Structures are given as structure tokens and as C-alpha cells.
Amino acid sequence: MTTVTLSDLRKEFDDVTAVESIDLEVRDSEFLVIVGPSGCGKSTTLRLIAGLERATDGEVRMDGRDVVDDEPKERNVAMVFQNYALYPHMTGRRNMTFGMKSAGDFTDGEIDDLVAEAAEMLDIADLLDRKPGAMSGGERQRVALGRAIVRDPDVFLMDEPLSNLDAKLRIQMRAELSKLHTELETTTIYVTHDQTEAMTLGDRVAVMNDGRVQQVDPPQRLYDYPANRFVAEFIGDPAMNMLPATVDGADGGAPVLDHRAFTLPLPDDASSALDDRSSAVLGVRPEDLYLVEASDGAYPGSIDATVDVIEPLGDSLLLECTVGEDVIRANANPRADVDHGDALELRYDPERLHVFDADTGRALYHSATTDEAPVMHAGD
Amino acid sequence: MLGLIQYPARLLRATKRQTAALALPDRRDLETIGLHLLLVGSVLLIVFPILVAAIVSTKQTGIVTGLADLVPGGHVVENYRTVLVDYQFGRFMWNSFLMATVIVTGKLALSIFAATAIVYYDLPYKDLLFLFILFTLLLPVPVRFIPLFQLVADMGWTNSMLAITVPYLASATTVFILRQHFLSIPSSIVETAKLDGVGPLKFMAFVLLPMSKGILVGVSVIMFVFAWNQYLWPLVIINAEADQVAQVGLALLEGDVVGGEVSWSLVMAGSMLTLLPPLLLLILFRKPLLRAFVIQQK
């Protein structure tokens, strides 16, 4: 079992900096997901760990040993690619065994046993004698996984392995990958652009943007305590609403966020976080906004909104509303009686408010109460 | 749309289908027939000289002055035997076959290594190197005749198999076709092999070449036909008749005038024999051949 440590890792391609000083520790047996928009440097980071790219600067350590100048083979990692990368002229079995003689000292008997074991684990025994051309996308990805498993590597590296599969199969394979990791307990680094995949699979998730790690935390923590605006808007679907506001009465008493269309009182403990700032950005997730029902009576600090777009999602009704000059999205009860153009009142969960710096985007305050203070890994 | 009667689209389609069934073949059928007539016409046009040659090769004199002469004669066995045995054509063809085989094998080996190096190795000035290889296309063997002749003569290769094969071993076209094909192989396949520590020779033998089987066969057929058809260079560099190749042998047949007349039936018999090996290859390997051409177009 292996830990992987990246320190101050950089990669430049000619005049483009793909990865900019990354510090990241992947713990032993951990499933770490690196997520980010395309071009954020996540795949390059993975390839640097694999040794397929040479780092411009910095270190890659595996169990303390610096491997940054080692050939890919010497790192004992196995990679699963988005396009499966199976050899088209070899059967499933040959695909799995082809690299084993080169990769390690396996005897023929061991190889047969390992293949049989992996085939059973992945339920691909009947695919072993077929060539990739006669397999479906999901079957090919299973064989590719099998090929990685039989190598018995120290680290699994997965580069968007589910992206070529259709939605239903992706969800099924996601669950299987999770199970597989529980069973094998091999350190896994998984790259994806899909935040749902990141949240469901990762023990921890590293969010990357512009070649930098923005935050590394367990999924729920990432969702509850985003370190900055980028993470807040990237994690969660639909994305968090961001509303610029001015800060009143920060010094001394409880601060109040003043938006042109509403005012929102914050708890006392926010005052130290907001210092004597005059402006900030309020973040509130669509799922933390509710329609004010008649039975609620008068509700303090509600937001007046006009409905522009109604998107019925089945389990909820996604409302796109105008608040002052800003657009806000809210999740409503799926059977709520709402019409296009309706003026309505939204109330919010006071425990789920976020305040960000207007200039840097850094998180200043989360209203959720928690036992442990949020750990911030802001990349700014 | 006022004033127009609107028929449902389904009804209109059904009506059309009925008329189509009753009436003469519609436009699409006529187009197909026309196209096929055109194809048959052009094929006949191309094959006609070969047909005439085949017919002439069966006759005694081989002079064709009118359509009435285009009737197969009864001298098949005699003509072909004379050409093969008396005129040593079997020997020429064997020489040609050897020459073409050596050229194809050598070219293929050299080009595979060159293309592999260009695609998979980080060489300094790689693109410049490739450009230089392409540049040699501007200097085919006929352009280099005089210095090449001098060189081959100085090396004492005159009248040898080396003289007619070595100058053809390097092929920019083949390197180019193979390079394009290697580039079309996903890089993740190469990287998987790298991660497994599969060495370059093992990678070439077990991954690259099997994945290029089709293109290699296609390119080989083109190269074989090209080599088989070599005429000018062997004519210049080979003096001994026993070492000569089939294409030059044909010219020798032509030069053998009997009683003031060229024996065209023998020349045509020789031509038909020369035609056979490339024809056989083309028929056998037409599918990979077509694929090789498609890659080249890309």
C-alpha cells in the first residue's frame, strides 16, 4: 500500500503552464478524485504521477521515495484510460497478460491465477477469449480494469475511465469501481470532469482550476464549506447562487448583507469574519431556498423574486427567478402551484449561507455550525 | 396556404409509391443503369489492349489488320514454350521476382524502422529529418542515373542483384504512409505499453506491426508492382543476358527479328507472362491495397 506526495509540482508546455505548483498528499489506500473543468491541468497531473510527462519542477514521492526522474515502468502504477487503450488484435486474456512479463516477475502459473481472479472479480470470464472489437464499451472498460488489476500495482491511475460510457452504464460502473476499491484497497487517483462522479467515488476530492488545487476535502465538506467561489460554483448541480451585496454594521453588532432587492441579517459570529469590509458576495444553494407558503405566516428576511423559467425535474421544480437585477435559482416542491411571471417570496436556510470576498472569491464565512473548524485550502 | 388543398403527407407518399410500381423505372434506376454502362465501357476500353495481346499470343504471325484477325489461334503451347525455354523468359521472370522480393523486403524493413523512430522517439529536429526524407522524393532513381551508375560500377556491383535492388531500398513514400498510419494509433496504447515496461522491439513486434498488418500488405503490393516494372535501370546496369529481368527481356524479344519481321505473337506471349505476377497479387490483396490508398489520401 502506498502514499503519493506531490510537492511544488509544475509542468510547462512551451509557453503554457499546465500545472502550477501543486502540493497534494494521497494517503495510503485512499480513493482520491481530482476534478475540474477541461484544461485545468488534472490529466497532466495524473500523467506526471504516471511518469508519462516529465515535470518541469517539483517532486513526486511514492512512499517517501522521489520518483520524479523514474521511468513509468519503475513506478509500478497501472493506468486506465478513457478510450480503454486495449490492443485491438489481442484477446481479452492476452490484453491482460501482455504487459505482465515485462512489468514484474510473474510465473505463468501466477499469471493464470491472477487473470482468473480478476476475471471473477469483474465478471469478465466469458470475455477473455474475445477481441475488443467484439465487446461493448462497458465490457472493454472492464477488461481494461482487469488489465490494471492483474498487474498488482502500488497505485491505480484512472483518467476519466467512465466518460465514454452511456449514462446508465456509467452509474453502474461507478458503483462497481467503489466496490472494487473497498475490496482491493489499492491507492487510487481518479481524474474526472464530472462533479457527481467525484462526489460519489472519492474518499476525498481535489478540485482543480487553472493548474492549481483549489481545495482538497471529503465530498460533504467540499459541499458544505467551499474554500472559494470556484469550488462553491463547481460543486453542486444546479450551481450555487452568487449575489453581490454590501455589508452593513459589521463593526460591533451583527452584520447585515444588503442586496438591492433584500436585506439579510447574519448571525453575530459573522462579524469577525467580515471585518470592516464594505462589500461581499452572498452564496446560497438552490436547494437551500424554499417557497414561502401561506401557512408560514410572516417570515423575516425573505427574498422577493419573479419567476422567469420553470424547469420540472420530477423530484423538484427548478425555478429561475429575477431578484433585483440578479438571477437566482431555487428548488421548489415539485407540485408547487407556480406560474411563469409569478411574484413570490423565497425563504432561505439560515444555516446554509456562504459569504465570499468580492475581489478574491475566497470564502469569508459559512453560517453552518460544526464541531470542527473548516480547513481551508484556498489556492489564492 | 389559403386556397391550396392540403393532402396528408402519408397519402402523398402512398400515391407516389403506387405510380412508381406501375410506371417505367424511375430516375434513380436509370441513373444506376447509366452508371453501370459507363463503367462497363471504361473497363472494356482499358482491358481491350490486354485482350488483343492475349489473342495475339495464341497466333502464329501475330499481325492484326482487321477485326477478323481477332480470333484466337492454335499456337498457345508452342508460343509460350518458345518464349519460356528458347528465349530464357523463365530465367528473366525469376530474376524479376528475386529483385522485387528483395526490394519489397528491404524497403519494408527500412521504412518500418524509420517511421517508428520518427513517430515514437524524441529525436532532435525530428520534423526536419522527416522533411529531408520527403525531399528525396524529388530525386528518383532516373534523375540520379549517371552518378549512380558510376557509384555502382566503382563498387563492382555491375551485373549483380545488388545493383538492381540496393538503390531502391530507401522509400520516402513508404515511410510517409507508415508514419501516417502509426500516428493514427491512439497514444494511450503506446502509453499502456510504456507503463508496463514493454521494450521498443517487443512493442514493435507484438503491437505496432500486428496493428499495421493491413497497411503493410497494401504497401507491399504497391512496392512489388513498382519493383517488378523496373526497366531503365536494369537495362543500363545489367549487361549479362542471364542476369536480366523480365521487362528488359520483353525488349529483347522485340529486338529479335525473324525474316525481317518482329514476331509479335512471341512478344505478346512474353507480355502476358510478365503481367501475371502483379495481376495475381492485385487480385489476392485488393482489400488491404484499397485501405492503403485511403490512408494515403488522408
Side-chain angles (χ1 to χ4, degrees):
Chain A
M1 301 288 113
T2 310
T3 60
V4 180
T5 316
L6 313 180
S7 26
D8 202 20
L9 196 63
R10 277 172 66 78
K11 174 68 187 174
E12 288 169 15
F13 294 104
D14 297 324
D15 51 349
V16 181
T17 306
V19 171
E20 212 167 324
S21 79
I22 286 204
D23 292 296
L24 186 65
E25 171 148 2
V26 188
R27 296 167 196 154
D28 181 23
S29 311
E30 185 177 28
F31 199 123
L32 182 103
V33 179
I34 304 179
V35 67
S38 46
C40 72
K42 54 190 191 300
S43 281
T44 309
T45 307
L46 196 74
R47 294 169 62 80
L48 285 168
I49 299 170
L52 294 171
E53 303 283 356
R54 284 250 171 265
T56 311
D57 214 354
E59 282 183 351
V60 177
R61 287 185 178 276
M62 289 187 179
D63 276 341
R65 185 172 62 96
D66 188 8
V67 296
V68 82
D69 291 321
D70 286 1
E71 288 297 317
K73 179 198 171 185
E74 294 159 29
R75 305 189 183 198
N76 196 24
V77 298
M79 197 151 164
V80 180
F81 294 88
Q82 179 176 354
N83 63 358
Y84 326 125
L86 293 176
Y87 305 114
H89 58 291
M90 298 182 188
T91 59
R93 180 191 307 279
R94 181 91 175 109
N95 258 295
M96 288 164 76
T97 57
F98 177 67
M100 288 181 80
K101 279 274 166 71
S102 313
D105 305 316
F106 297 104
T107 64
D108 288 346
E110 278 172 340
I111 290 178
D112 287 344
D113 290 346
L114 283 165
V115 170
E117 205 178 305
E120 195 191 341
M121 206 183 287
L122 291 161
D123 195 19
I124 51 170
D126 53 331
L127 301 178
L128 291 179
D129 296 319
R130 266 197 252 161
K131 288 189 180 173
M135 298 177 196
S136 69
E139 290 173 336
R140 281 181 217 177
Q141 197 53 288
R142 267 169 216 268
V143 174
L145 275 172
R147 177 170 65 182
I149 291 171
V150 291
R151 282 268 320 277
D152 191 22
D154 293 335
V155 182
F156 280 130
L157 303 174
M158 306 198 179
D159 193 358
E160 310 227 7
L162 306 185
S163 297
N164 277 12
L165 306 179
D166 63 57
K168 201 174 160 197
L169 200 56
R170 205 179 312 155
I171 294 170
Q172 188 193 332
M173 284 296 282
R174 210 160 69 190
E176 285 189 33
L177 275 178
S178 229
K179 252 191 273 169
L180 207 63
H181 180 252
T182 317
E183 208 167 318
L184 294 169
E185 292 194 326
T186 307
T187 311
T188 305
I189 306 173
Y190 185 106
V191 160
T192 179
H193 65 271
D194 179 350
Q195 54 107 9
T196 318
E197 222 167 275
M199 298 289 276
T200 49
L201 279 172
D203 294 329
R204 284 189 309 152
V205 178
V207 183
M208 276 188 77
N209 190 33
D210 286 340
R212 289 171 183 274
V213 174
Q214 305 291 320
Q215 185 175 3
V216 192
D217 266 319
Q220 194 59 49
R221 189 155 198 89
L222 217 54
Y223 178 88
D224 289 340
Y225 303 99
N228 55 38
R229 268 187 76 165
F230 178 80
V231 177
E233 287 176 285
F234 192 80
I235 300 295
D237 182 33
M240 188 187 279
N241 296 300
M242 293 290 172
L243 301 159
T246 48
V247 183
D248 288 334
D251 24 51
V256 174
L257 283 183
D258 203 355
H259 183 266
R260 249 169 288 173
F262 62 91
T263 51
L264 194 144
L266 289 173
D268 289 347
D269 60 343
S271 61
S272 60
L274 294 178
D275 300 330
D276 48 357
R277 262 161 233 277
S278 59
S279 64
V281 175
L282 167 71
V284 55
R285 294 196 184 277
E287 49 273 35
D288 297 327
L289 288 168
Y290 312 91
L291 285 185
V292 175
E293 310 280 338
S295 56
D296 288 352
Y299 193 85
S302 63
I303 302 171
D304 290 321
T306 315
V307 179
D308 286 332
V309 182
I310 304 167
E311 293 177 17
L313 300 176
D315 60 342
S316 70
L317 207 57
L318 183 62
L319 305 176
E320 197 177 295
C321 315
T322 319
V323 173
E325 286 172 8
D326 293 310
V327 173
I328 195 169
R329 284 161 162 252
N331 266 358
N333 180 324
R335 285 154 204 101
D337 182 21
V338 182
D339 257 330
H340 186 91
D342 278 2
L344 36 85
E345 262 183 290
L346 296 171
R347 67 187 172 83
Y348 52 86
D349 184 343
E351 292 286 290
R352 305 239 66 90
L353 298 176
H354 312 266
V355 183
F356 300 93
D357 188 291
D359 300 320
T360 64
R362 194 167 56 87
L364 299 172
Y365 174 74
H366 303 289
S367 67
T369 45
T370 171
D371 297 340
E372 43 178 328
V375 189
M376 304 247 176
H377 296 262
D380 49 356
Chain B
M1 297 305 264
L2 275 177
L4 281 179
I5 303 168
Q6 303 239 324
Y7 291 103
R10 199 158 41 88
L11 191 72
L12 276 177
R13 271 200 300 273
T15 324
K16 259 191 200 164
R17 235 179 288 131
Q18 269 177 350
T19 20
L22 290 172
L24 288 166
D26 72 4
R27 248 192 65 180
R28 198 128 35 99
D29 290 338
L30 282 176
E31 266 173 27
T32 315
I33 292 168
L35 202 67
H36 277 82
L37 281 178
L38 197 73
L39 281 173
V40 169
S42 41
V43 166
L44 276 181
L45 203 67
I46 294 166
V47 170
F48 184 69
I50 299 171
L51 279 180
V52 172
I55 292 168
V56 170
S57 74
T58 61
K59 296 164 82 84
Q60 191 179 11
T61 55
I63 304 292
V64 178
T65 49
L67 274 180
D69 288 329
L70 288 179
V71 181
H75 290 73
V76 185
V77 180
E78 193 191 325
N79 284 350
Y80 282 84
R81 195 202 61 83
T82 313
V83 169
L84 278 172
V85 179
D86 299 350
Y87 286 90
Q88 292 196 53
F89 218 77
R91 171 97 208 179
F92 297 157
M93 285 187 63
W94 173 245
N95 287 340
S96 274
F97 180 76
L98 265 186
M99 170 182 74
T101 311
V102 172
I103 289 179
V104 168
T105 317
K107 248 187 194 179
L108 216 53
L110 259 180
S111 307
I112 287 170
F113 280 109
T116 308
I118 287 172
V119 175
Y120 295 112
Y121 285 79
D122 277 327
L123 311 167
Y125 305 111
K126 199 157 85 166
D127 293 340
L128 204 70
L129 206 73
F130 179 59
L131 210 67
F132 183 74
I133 292 177
L134 282 188
F135 182 69
T136 62
L137 281 177
L138 298 178
L139 293 169
V141 169
V143 177
R144 297 177 263 146
F145 251 34
I146 294 167
L148 193 62
F149 184 87
Q150 191 69 51
L151 184 71
V152 170
D154 286 351
M155 293 177 81
W157 286 0
T158 319
N159 281 331
S160 70
M161 188 49 74
L162 288 173
I164 47 174
T165 53
V166 175
Y168 288 102
L169 290 190
S171 161
T173 320
T174 318
V175 174
F176 176 71
I177 293 175
L178 289 183
R179 173 188 178 264
Q180 296 310 96
H181 176 70
F182 290 170
L183 285 177
S184 73
I185 293 176
S187 58
S188 55
I189 285 192
V190 187
E191 287 170 349
T192 302
K194 244 191 229 173
L195 285 164
D196 284 344
V198 175
L201 285 180
K202 189 178 176 190
F203 177 73
M204 188 195 262
F206 291 101
V207 180
L208 201 55
L209 295 187
M211 283 183 76
S212 315
K213 239 186 319 184
I215 200 103
L216 289 176
V217 172
V219 167
S220 300
V221 173
I222 301 172
M223 287 191 301
F224 187 92
V225 175
F226 166 81
W228 180 267
N229 286 339
Q230 285 310 313
Y231 169 72
L232 207 53
W233 178 244
L235 176 71
V236 170
I237 202 72
I238 303 285
N239 298 320
E241 204 176 297
D243 295 329
Q244 205 44 277
V245 297
Q247 304 295 341
V248 182
L250 269 183
L252 292 177
L253 279 182
E254 211 174 314
D256 206 35
V257 180
V258 184
E261 266 182 28
V262 177
S263 48
W264 285 112
S265 51
L266 294 187
V267 175
M268 289 309 145
S271 303
M272 293 316 293
L273 285 172
T274 323
L275 197 71
L276 281 180
L279 189 68
L280 213 65
L281 281 181
L282 288 177
I283 291 172
L284 277 177
F285 297 113
R286 58 189 183 284
K287 274 184 189 161
L289 187 71
L290 282 175
R291 240 175 286 143
F293 274 121
V294 170
I295 293 269
Q296 210 175 4
Q297 272 178 0
K298 274 190 223 159

